[in-house]
């Protein structure tokens, strides 16, 4: 049913995801490595919401962004150790 508890929770997850992604991107500009963890958490929120909605195109691109954020987090860690 429209406006049910499930829909409200899914929408809340999307807003939390957006906040985490924006916060992560903001802190990446400050060269803060752990900002990628915020982006990973935000993309995970979106993957859950899109999976529950059956939007597999959105799920797929969120998964790609998630992998890219994980890769960046790992690479920034290696670069910090080599300096």
């Amino acid at each position: 049913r429209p406006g049910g508890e499930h829909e409200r929770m899914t929408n809340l997850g999307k807003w939390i995801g957006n906040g985490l992604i924006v916060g992560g991107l903001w802190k990446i500009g400050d060269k803060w490595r752990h900002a990628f963890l915020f982006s990973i958490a935000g993309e995970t929120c979106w993957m859950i919401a899109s999976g529950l909605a059956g939007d597999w195109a959105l799920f797929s691109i969120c998964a790609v962004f998630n992998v890219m954020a994980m890769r960046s987090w790992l690479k920034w860690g290696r670069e910090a150790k080599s300096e």
Side-chain angles (χ1 to χ4, degrees):
R1 88 179 197 230
E5 185 69 24
H6 176 73
E7 185 177 338
R8 284 193 295 275
M9 291 304 294
T10 301
N11 285 335
L12 177 63
K14 290 176 185 178
W15 282 105
I16 291 170
N18 285 341
L20 288 167
I21 292 167
V22 169
L25 290 172
W26 185 266
K27 293 306 288 179
I28 287 168
D30 294 334
K31 298 183 180 176
W32 190 51
R33 176 183 179 231
H34 288 85
F36 290 110
L37 298 177
F38 284 82
S39 294
I40 291 165
E43 290 298 341
T44 301
C45 289
W46 271 98
M47 287 174 66
I48 292 168
S50 60
L52 290 172
D55 188 345
W56 302 112
L58 180 58
F59 180 91
S60 298
I61 196 63
C62 290
V64 169
F65 289 151
N66 218 340
V67 169
M68 290 172 64
M70 289 178 198
R71 176 184 177 270
S72 297
W73 185 75
L74 291 171
K75 284 188 70 135
W76 278 34
R78 279 189 235 123
E79 289 174 9
K81 289 178 185 174
S82 67
E83 291 178 357

